[in-house]
PDB file of all heavy atoms in Angstrom:
ATOM      1  N   GLN A   1      -2.001  13.513   4.380  1.00  0.00           N
ATOM      2  CA  GLN A   1      -0.712  13.038   4.859  1.00  0.00           C
ATOM      3  C   GLN A   1      -0.866  11.853   5.812  1.00  0.00           C
ATOM      4  O   GLN A   1      -0.011  10.958   5.844  1.00  0.00           O
ATOM      5  CB  GLN A   1       0.045  14.181   5.531  1.00  0.00           C
ATOM      6  CG  GLN A   1       0.501  15.250   4.548  1.00  0.00           C
ATOM      7  CD  GLN A   1       1.308  16.345   5.209  1.00  0.00           C
ATOM      8  OE1 GLN A   1       2.016  16.095   6.178  1.00  0.00           O
ATOM      9  NE2 GLN A   1       1.208  17.560   4.702  1.00  0.00           N
ATOM     10  N   GLN A   2      -1.938  11.837   6.573  1.00  0.00           N
ATOM     11  CA  GLN A   2      -2.195  10.681   7.433  1.00  0.00           C
ATOM     12  C   GLN A   2      -2.456   9.430   6.594  1.00  0.00           C
ATOM     13  O   GLN A   2      -2.003   8.329   6.936  1.00  0.00           O
ATOM     14  CB  GLN A   2      -3.386  10.976   8.345  1.00  0.00           C
ATOM     15  CG  GLN A   2      -3.106  12.034   9.401  1.00  0.00           C
ATOM     16  CD  GLN A   2      -4.368  12.481  10.122  1.00  0.00           C
ATOM     17  OE1 GLN A   2      -5.438  11.895   9.930  1.00  0.00           O
ATOM     18  NE2 GLN A   2      -4.243  13.520  10.933  1.00  0.00           N
ATOM     19  N   ALA A   3      -3.188   9.610   5.486  1.00  0.00           N
ATOM     20  CA  ALA A   3      -3.425   8.478   4.587  1.00  0.00           C
ATOM     21  C   ALA A   3      -2.113   7.986   3.986  1.00  0.00           C
ATOM     22  O   ALA A   3      -1.874   6.772   3.873  1.00  0.00           O
ATOM     23  CB  ALA A   3      -4.402   8.891   3.483  1.00  0.00           C
ATOM     24  N   ARG A   4      -1.241   8.914   3.602  1.00  0.00           N
ATOM     25  CA  ARG A   4       0.062   8.509   3.043  1.00  0.00           C
ATOM     26  C   ARG A   4       0.913   7.785   4.086  1.00  0.00           C
ATOM     27  O   ARG A   4       1.658   6.857   3.761  1.00  0.00           O
ATOM     28  CB  ARG A   4       0.801   9.737   2.518  1.00  0.00           C
ATOM     29  CG  ARG A   4       0.268  10.249   1.202  1.00  0.00           C
ATOM     30  CD  ARG A   4       1.403  10.604   0.275  1.00  0.00           C
ATOM     31  NE  ARG A   4       0.939  10.965  -1.050  1.00  0.00           N
ATOM     32  CZ  ARG A   4       1.739  11.231  -2.060  1.00  0.00           C
ATOM     33  NH1 ARG A   4       3.048  11.166  -1.895  1.00  0.00           N
ATOM     34  NH2 ARG A   4       1.260  11.549  -3.251  1.00  0.00           N
ATOM     35  N   ALA A   5       0.809   8.215   5.336  1.00  0.00           N
ATOM     36  CA  ALA A   5       1.562   7.547   6.400  1.00  0.00           C
ATOM     37  C   ALA A   5       1.097   6.099   6.548  1.00  0.00           C
ATOM     38  O   ALA A   5       1.914   5.193   6.763  1.00  0.00           O
ATOM     39  CB  ALA A   5       1.402   8.307   7.710  1.00  0.00           C
ATOM     40  N   ARG A   6      -0.196   5.869   6.422  1.00  0.00           N
ATOM     41  CA  ARG A   6      -0.704   4.499   6.491  1.00  0.00           C
ATOM     42  C   ARG A   6      -0.188   3.657   5.320  1.00  0.00           C
ATOM     43  O   ARG A   6       0.101   2.467   5.473  1.00  0.00           O
ATOM     44  CB  ARG A   6      -2.232   4.517   6.513  1.00  0.00           C
ATOM     45  CG  ARG A   6      -2.819   4.867   7.869  1.00  0.00           C
ATOM     46  CD  ARG A   6      -4.337   4.732   7.867  1.00  0.00           C
ATOM     47  NE  ARG A   6      -4.981   5.858   7.241  1.00  0.00           N
ATOM     48  CZ  ARG A   6      -5.297   6.991   7.864  1.00  0.00           C
ATOM     49  NH1 ARG A   6      -5.027   7.131   9.157  1.00  0.00           N
ATOM     50  NH2 ARG A   6      -5.890   7.980   7.236  1.00  0.00           N
ATOM     51  N   MET A   7      -0.082   4.284   4.142  1.00  0.00           N
ATOM     52  CA  MET A   7       0.459   3.570   2.980  1.00  0.00           C
ATOM     53  C   MET A   7       1.907   3.157   3.222  1.00  0.00           C
ATOM     54  O   MET A   7       2.318   2.028   2.910  1.00  0.00           O
ATOM     55  CB  MET A   7       0.372   4.451   1.731  1.00  0.00           C
ATOM     56  CG  MET A   7      -1.034   4.823   1.307  1.00  0.00           C
ATOM     57  SD  MET A   7      -1.026   5.975  -0.103  1.00  0.00           S
ATOM     58  CE  MET A   7      -2.711   6.601  -0.037  1.00  0.00           C
ATOM     59  N   ARG A   8       2.707   4.069   3.779  1.00  0.00           N
ATOM     60  CA  ARG A   8       4.125   3.758   4.031  1.00  0.00           C
ATOM     61  C   ARG A   8       4.267   2.678   5.099  1.00  0.00           C
ATOM     62  O   ARG A   8       5.144   1.820   5.009  1.00  0.00           O
ATOM     63  CB  ARG A   8       4.872   5.020   4.450  1.00  0.00           C
ATOM     64  CG  ARG A   8       5.081   6.014   3.327  1.00  0.00           C
ATOM     65  CD  ARG A   8       6.095   7.068   3.740  1.00  0.00           C
ATOM     66  NE  ARG A   8       5.623   7.819   4.903  1.00  0.00           N
ATOM     67  CZ  ARG A   8       4.907   8.927   4.834  1.00  0.00           C
ATOM     68  NH1 ARG A   8       4.551   9.413   3.652  1.00  0.00           N
ATOM     69  NH2 ARG A   8       4.526   9.554   5.932  1.00  0.00           N
ATOM     70  N   ASP A   9       3.422   2.727   6.133  1.00  0.00           N
ATOM     71  CA  ASP A   9       3.510   1.724   7.193  1.00  0.00           C
ATOM     72  C   ASP A   9       3.157   0.335   6.654  1.00  0.00           C
ATOM     73  O   ASP A   9       3.755  -0.658   7.072  1.00  0.00           O
ATOM     74  CB  ASP A   9       2.565   2.096   8.333  1.00  0.00           C
ATOM     75  CG  ASP A   9       3.008   3.353   9.061  1.00  0.00           C
ATOM     76  OD1 ASP A   9       4.194   3.725   8.925  1.00  0.00           O
ATOM     77  OD2 ASP A   9       2.168   3.977   9.737  1.00  0.00           O
ATOM     78  N   ARG A  10       2.207   0.295   5.729  1.00  0.00           N
ATOM     79  CA  ARG A  10       1.756  -0.984   5.205  1.00  0.00           C
ATOM     80  C   ARG A  10       2.751  -1.561   4.193  1.00  0.00           C
ATOM     81  O   ARG A  10       2.975  -2.766   4.134  1.00  0.00           O
ATOM     82  CB  ARG A  10       0.386  -0.801   4.551  1.00  0.00           C
ATOM     83  CG  ARG A  10      -0.265  -2.103   4.087  1.00  0.00           C
ATOM     84  CD  ARG A  10      -1.705  -1.881   3.649  1.00  0.00           C
ATOM     85  NE  ARG A  10      -1.821  -0.839   2.648  1.00  0.00           N
ATOM     86  CZ  ARG A  10      -2.364   0.355   2.865  1.00  0.00           C
ATOM     87  NH1 ARG A  10      -2.859   0.669   4.057  1.00  0.00           N
ATOM     88  NH2 ARG A  10      -2.431   1.266   1.905  1.00  0.00           N
ATOM     89  N   ASN A  11       3.356  -0.683   3.400  1.00  0.00           N
ATOM     90  CA  ASN A  11       4.295  -1.147   2.370  1.00  0.00           C
ATOM     91  C   ASN A  11       5.413  -0.117   2.226  1.00  0.00           C
ATOM     92  O   ASN A  11       5.324   0.804   1.412  1.00  0.00           O
ATOM     93  CB  ASN A  11       3.564  -1.326   1.036  1.00  0.00           C
ATOM     94  CG  ASN A  11       4.402  -2.096   0.030  1.00  0.00           C
ATOM     95  OD1 ASN A  11       5.604  -2.246   0.196  1.00  0.00           O
ATOM     96  ND2 ASN A  11       3.782  -2.580  -1.019  1.00  0.00           N
ATOM     97  N   PRO A  12       6.485  -0.230   3.027  1.00  0.00           N
ATOM     98  CA  PRO A  12       7.556   0.784   3.009  1.00  0.00           C
ATOM     99  C   PRO A  12       8.257   0.906   1.661  1.00  0.00           C
ATOM    100  O   PRO A  12       8.862   1.945   1.378  1.00  0.00           O
ATOM    101  CB  PRO A  12       8.526   0.285   4.089  1.00  0.00           C
ATOM    102  CG  PRO A  12       7.726  -0.650   4.940  1.00  0.00           C
ATOM    103  CD  PRO A  12       6.726  -1.288   4.020  1.00  0.00           C
ATOM    104  N   ASP A  13       8.215  -0.127   0.834  1.00  0.00           N
ATOM    105  CA  ASP A  13       8.936  -0.086  -0.432  1.00  0.00           C
ATOM    106  C   ASP A  13       8.242   0.785  -1.478  1.00  0.00           C
ATOM    107  O   ASP A  13       8.869   1.184  -2.464  1.00  0.00           O
ATOM    108  CB  ASP A  13       9.085  -1.504  -1.000  1.00  0.00           C
ATOM    109  CG  ASP A  13       9.948  -2.378  -0.113  1.00  0.00           C
ATOM    110  OD1 ASP A  13      10.793  -1.810   0.608  1.00  0.00           O
ATOM    111  OD2 ASP A  13       9.770  -3.608  -0.138  1.00  0.00           O
ATOM    112  N   GLN A  14       6.959   1.076  -1.292  1.00  0.00           N
ATOM    113  CA  GLN A  14       6.202   1.852  -2.263  1.00  0.00           C
ATOM    114  C   GLN A  14       5.678   3.111  -1.587  1.00  0.00           C
ATOM    115  O   GLN A  14       5.055   3.042  -0.526  1.00  0.00           O
ATOM    116  CB  GLN A  14       5.029   1.044  -2.837  1.00  0.00           C
ATOM    117  CG  GLN A  14       5.429  -0.291  -3.453  1.00  0.00           C
ATOM    118  CD  GLN A  14       6.258  -0.116  -4.705  1.00  0.00           C
ATOM    119  OE1 GLN A  14       6.263   0.946  -5.311  1.00  0.00           O
ATOM    120  NE2 GLN A  14       6.967  -1.158  -5.105  1.00  0.00           N
ATOM    121  N   ALA A  15       5.908   4.261  -2.227  1.00  0.00           N
ATOM    122  CA  ALA A  15       5.525   5.534  -1.609  1.00  0.00           C
ATOM    123  C   ALA A  15       4.018   5.741  -1.606  1.00  0.00           C
ATOM    124  O   ALA A  15       3.451   6.291  -0.661  1.00  0.00           O
ATOM    125  CB  ALA A  15       6.217   6.695  -2.326  1.00  0.00           C
ATOM    126  N   THR A  16       3.340   5.335  -2.683  1.00  0.00           N
ATOM    127  CA  THR A  16       1.909   5.565  -2.810  1.00  0.00           C
ATOM    128  C   THR A  16       1.222   4.301  -3.315  1.00  0.00           C
ATOM    129  O   THR A  16       1.871   3.384  -3.828  1.00  0.00           O
ATOM    130  CB  THR A  16       1.615   6.718  -3.787  1.00  0.00           C
ATOM    131  OG1 THR A  16       2.123   6.369  -5.085  1.00  0.00           O
ATOM    132  CG2 THR A  16       2.255   8.016  -3.327  1.00  0.00           C
ATOM    133  N   ASN A  17      -0.088   4.291  -3.207  1.00  0.00           N
ATOM    134  CA  ASN A  17      -0.858   3.143  -3.701  1.00  0.00           C
ATOM    135  C   ASN A  17      -0.760   3.011  -5.220  1.00  0.00           C
ATOM    136  O   ASN A  17      -0.961   1.917  -5.760  1.00  0.00           O
ATOM    137  CB  ASN A  17      -2.323   3.276  -3.287  1.00  0.00           C
ATOM    138  CG  ASN A  17      -2.521   3.009  -1.803  1.00  0.00           C
ATOM    139  OD1 ASN A  17      -1.708   2.336  -1.172  1.00  0.00           O
ATOM    140  ND2 ASN A  17      -3.584   3.549  -1.238  1.00  0.00           N
ATOM    141  N   ARG A  18      -0.494   4.102  -5.907  1.00  0.00           N
ATOM    142  CA  ARG A  18      -0.363   4.040  -7.360  1.00  0.00           C
ATOM    143  C   ARG A  18       0.753   3.094  -7.792  1.00  0.00           C
ATOM    144  O   ARG A  18       0.712   2.505  -8.877  1.00  0.00           O
ATOM    145  CB  ARG A  18      -0.087   5.447  -7.906  1.00  0.00           C
ATOM    146  CG  ARG A  18       0.027   5.528  -9.418  1.00  0.00           C
ATOM    147  CD  ARG A  18       0.433   6.931  -9.851  1.00  0.00           C
ATOM    148  NE  ARG A  18       1.807   7.241  -9.515  1.00  0.00           N
ATOM    149  CZ  ARG A  18       2.369   8.426  -9.679  1.00  0.00           C
ATOM    150  NH1 ARG A  18       1.650   9.420 -10.163  1.00  0.00           N
ATOM    151  NH2 ARG A  18       3.629   8.638  -9.352  1.00  0.00           N
ATOM    152  N   ASP A  19       1.755   2.900  -6.943  1.00  0.00           N
ATOM    153  CA  ASP A  19       2.919   2.094  -7.289  1.00  0.00           C
ATOM    154  C   ASP A  19       2.746   0.613  -6.979  1.00  0.00           C
ATOM    155  O   ASP A  19       3.622  -0.187  -7.313  1.00  0.00           O
ATOM    156  CB  ASP A  19       4.152   2.609  -6.542  1.00  0.00           C
ATOM    157  CG  ASP A  19       4.395   4.078  -6.805  1.00  0.00           C
ATOM    158  OD1 ASP A  19       4.330   4.471  -7.981  1.00  0.00           O
ATOM    159  OD2 ASP A  19       4.641   4.823  -5.840  1.00  0.00           O
ATOM    160  N   LEU A  20       1.648   0.233  -6.341  1.00  0.00           N
ATOM    161  CA  LEU A  20       1.476  -1.166  -5.940  1.00  0.00           C
ATOM    162  C   LEU A  20       1.242  -2.052  -7.163  1.00  0.00           C
ATOM    163  O   LEU A  20       0.344  -1.787  -7.967  1.00  0.00           O
ATOM    164  CB  LEU A  20       0.295  -1.290  -4.974  1.00  0.00           C
ATOM    165  CG  LEU A  20       0.416  -0.546  -3.641  1.00  0.00           C
ATOM    166  CD1 LEU A  20      -0.860  -0.704  -2.840  1.00  0.00           C
ATOM    167  CD2 LEU A  20       1.617  -1.038  -2.847  1.00  0.00           C
ATOM    168  N   ASP A  21       2.039  -3.107  -7.289  1.00  0.00           N
ATOM    169  CA  ASP A  21       1.793  -4.066  -8.360  1.00  0.00           C
ATOM    170  C   ASP A  21       0.815  -5.136  -7.872  1.00  0.00           C
ATOM    171  O   ASP A  21       0.315  -5.087  -6.737  1.00  0.00           O
ATOM    172  CB  ASP A  21       3.102  -4.693  -8.838  1.00  0.00           C
ATOM    173  CG  ASP A  21       3.885  -5.336  -7.700  1.00  0.00           C
ATOM    174  OD1 ASP A  21       3.296  -5.595  -6.632  1.00  0.00           O
ATOM    175  OD2 ASP A  21       5.095  -5.586  -7.892  1.00  0.00           O
ATOM    176  N   ALA A  22       0.521  -6.108  -8.730  1.00  0.00           N
ATOM    177  CA  ALA A  22      -0.472  -7.115  -8.382  1.00  0.00           C
ATOM    178  C   ALA A  22      -0.060  -7.907  -7.149  1.00  0.00           C
ATOM    179  O   ALA A  22      -0.895  -8.210  -6.283  1.00  0.00           O
ATOM    180  CB  ALA A  22      -0.691  -8.052  -9.574  1.00  0.00           C
ATOM    181  N   LYS A  23       1.223  -8.235  -7.041  1.00  0.00           N
ATOM    182  CA  LYS A  23       1.692  -9.001  -5.888  1.00  0.00           C
ATOM    183  C   LYS A  23       1.531  -8.213  -4.604  1.00  0.00           C
ATOM    184  O   LYS A  23       1.068  -8.745  -3.577  1.00  0.00           O
ATOM    185  CB  LYS A  23       3.159  -9.396  -6.100  1.00  0.00           C
ATOM    186  CG  LYS A  23       3.732 -10.217  -4.962  1.00  0.00           C
ATOM    187  CD  LYS A  23       5.193 -10.579  -5.228  1.00  0.00           C
ATOM    188  CE  LYS A  23       5.767 -11.380  -4.063  1.00  0.00           C
ATOM    189  NZ  LYS A  23       7.199 -11.722  -4.288  1.00  0.00           N
ATOM    190  N   ALA A  24       1.900  -6.917  -4.635  1.00  0.00           N
ATOM    191  CA  ALA A  24       1.777  -6.082  -3.443  1.00  0.00           C
ATOM    192  C   ALA A  24       0.314  -5.875  -3.052  1.00  0.00           C
ATOM    193  O   ALA A  24      -0.026  -5.848  -1.864  1.00  0.00           O
ATOM    194  CB  ALA A  24       2.451  -4.735  -3.679  1.00  0.00           C
ATOM    195  N   LEU A  25      -0.558  -5.739  -4.064  1.00  0.00           N
ATOM    196  CA  LEU A  25      -1.985  -5.610  -3.766  1.00  0.00           C
ATOM    197  C   LEU A  25      -2.508  -6.868  -3.071  1.00  0.00           C
ATOM    198  O   LEU A  25      -3.311  -6.789  -2.130  1.00  0.00           O
ATOM    199  CB  LEU A  25      -2.767  -5.354  -5.051  1.00  0.00           C
ATOM    200  CG  LEU A  25      -2.755  -3.937  -5.616  1.00  0.00           C
ATOM    201  CD1 LEU A  25      -3.395  -3.900  -6.988  1.00  0.00           C
ATOM    202  CD2 LEU A  25      -3.474  -2.978  -4.677  1.00  0.00           C
ATOM    203  N   TYR A  26      -2.052  -8.023  -3.526  1.00  0.00           N
ATOM    204  CA  TYR A  26      -2.508  -9.289  -2.942  1.00  0.00           C
ATOM    205  C   TYR A  26      -1.988  -9.455  -1.506  1.00  0.00           C
ATOM    206  O   TYR A  26      -2.723  -9.885  -0.615  1.00  0.00           O
ATOM    207  CB  TYR A  26      -2.035 -10.454  -3.809  1.00  0.00           C
ATOM    208  CG  TYR A  26      -2.359 -11.813  -3.237  1.00  0.00           C
ATOM    209  CD1 TYR A  26      -3.654 -12.329  -3.306  1.00  0.00           C
ATOM    210  CD2 TYR A  26      -1.366 -12.580  -2.627  1.00  0.00           C
ATOM    211  CE1 TYR A  26      -3.952 -13.581  -2.773  1.00  0.00           C
ATOM    212  CE2 TYR A  26      -1.652 -13.833  -2.092  1.00  0.00           C
ATOM    213  CZ  TYR A  26      -2.950 -14.323  -2.167  1.00  0.00           C
ATOM    214  OH  TYR A  26      -3.238 -15.555  -1.636  1.00  0.00           O
ATOM    215  N   GLU A  27      -0.717  -9.069  -1.288  1.00  0.00           N
ATOM    216  CA  GLU A  27      -0.110  -9.299   0.018  1.00  0.00           C
ATOM    217  C   GLU A  27      -0.465  -8.236   1.045  1.00  0.00           C
ATOM    218  O   GLU A  27      -0.602  -8.535   2.231  1.00  0.00           O
ATOM    219  CB  GLU A  27       1.406  -9.389  -0.125  1.00  0.00           C
ATOM    220  CG  GLU A  27       1.884 -10.589  -0.945  1.00  0.00           C
ATOM    221  CD  GLU A  27       3.378 -10.587  -1.135  1.00  0.00           C
ATOM    222  OE1 GLU A  27       4.023  -9.550  -0.830  1.00  0.00           O
ATOM    223  OE2 GLU A  27       3.926 -11.612  -1.608  1.00  0.00           O
ATOM    224  N   CYS A  28      -0.594  -6.984   0.593  1.00  0.00           N
ATOM    225  CA  CYS A  28      -0.766  -5.874   1.536  1.00  0.00           C
ATOM    226  C   CYS A  28      -2.084  -5.122   1.369  1.00  0.00           C
ATOM    227  O   CYS A  28      -2.376  -4.223   2.160  1.00  0.00           O
ATOM    228  CB  CYS A  28       0.391  -4.877   1.391  1.00  0.00           C
ATOM    229  SG  CYS A  28       2.032  -5.605   1.478  1.00  0.00           S
ATOM    230  N   GLY A  29      -2.858  -5.455   0.324  1.00  0.00           N
ATOM    231  CA  GLY A  29      -4.059  -4.675   0.039  1.00  0.00           C
ATOM    232  C   GLY A  29      -5.144  -4.818   1.078  1.00  0.00           C
ATOM    233  O   GLY A  29      -5.912  -3.887   1.317  1.00  0.00           O
ATOM    234  N   GLN A  30      -5.256  -5.999   1.720  1.00  0.00           N
ATOM    235  CA  GLN A  30      -6.262  -6.256   2.749  1.00  0.00           C
ATOM    236  C   GLN A  30      -7.678  -6.032   2.208  1.00  0.00           C
ATOM    237  O   GLN A  30      -8.457  -5.235   2.736  1.00  0.00           O
ATOM    238  CB  GLN A  30      -6.004  -5.384   3.985  1.00  0.00           C
ATOM    239  CG  GLN A  30      -4.682  -5.700   4.677  1.00  0.00           C
ATOM    240  CD  GLN A  30      -4.430  -4.824   5.886  1.00  0.00           C
ATOM    241  OE1 GLN A  30      -4.470  -3.603   5.785  1.00  0.00           O
ATOM    242  NE2 GLN A  30      -4.158  -5.450   7.018  1.00  0.00           N
ATOM    243  N   PHE A  31      -8.010  -6.758   1.144  1.00  0.00           N
ATOM    244  CA  PHE A  31      -9.347  -6.700   0.563  1.00  0.00           C
ATOM    245  C   PHE A  31     -10.206  -7.807   1.172  1.00  0.00           C
ATOM    246  O   PHE A  31      -9.761  -8.954   1.313  1.00  0.00           O
ATOM    247  CB  PHE A  31      -9.281  -6.882  -0.960  1.00  0.00           C
ATOM    248  CG  PHE A  31      -8.521  -5.803  -1.660  1.00  0.00           C
ATOM    249  CD1 PHE A  31      -7.161  -5.944  -1.933  1.00  0.00           C
ATOM    250  CD2 PHE A  31      -9.150  -4.631  -2.048  1.00  0.00           C
ATOM    251  CE1 PHE A  31      -6.455  -4.954  -2.570  1.00  0.00           C
ATOM    252  CE2 PHE A  31      -8.442  -3.627  -2.691  1.00  0.00           C
ATOM    253  CZ  PHE A  31      -7.102  -3.789  -2.956  1.00  0.00           C
ATOM    254  N   SER A  32     -11.440  -7.468   1.482  1.00  0.00           N
ATOM    255  CA  SER A  32     -12.354  -8.484   1.996  1.00  0.00           C
ATOM    256  C   SER A  32     -12.762  -9.430   0.858  1.00  0.00           C
ATOM    257  O   SER A  32     -12.655  -9.087  -0.332  1.00  0.00           O
ATOM    258  CB  SER A  32     -13.588  -7.819   2.601  1.00  0.00           C
ATOM    259  OG  SER A  32     -14.347  -7.183   1.600  1.00  0.00           O
ATOM    260  N   CYS A  33     -13.234 -10.614   1.231  1.00  0.00           N
ATOM    261  CA  CYS A  33     -13.639 -11.603   0.215  1.00  0.00           C
ATOM    262  C   CYS A  33     -14.795 -11.077  -0.627  1.00  0.00           C
ATOM    263  O   CYS A  33     -14.830 -11.275  -1.851  1.00  0.00           O
ATOM    264  CB  CYS A  33     -14.033 -12.915   0.894  1.00  0.00           C
ATOM    265  SG  CYS A  33     -12.665 -13.737   1.740  1.00  0.00           S
TER     266      CYS A  33
END
């Protein structure tokens, strides 16, 4: 549930990481180079 809370804080429009599209992954994913 703590992990899910972090997902909601990062992207309130999507409940889980499964719902992230390519644009959301690029904007909110925070991937290192």
Side-chain angles (χ1 to χ4, degrees):
Q1 291 183 32
Q2 291 170 8
R4 284 223 174 185
R6 282 186 281 274
M7 297 175 197
R8 289 193 299 270
D9 292 341
R10 186 171 54 250
N11 193 344
D13 295 334
Q14 305 293 341
T16 61
N17 287 337
R18 182 186 71 186
D19 305 314
L20 297 177
D21 55 18
K23 181 180 179 181
L25 281 171
Y26 175 76
E27 295 176 348
C28 308
Q30 296 179 306
F31 297 93
S32 67
C33 295

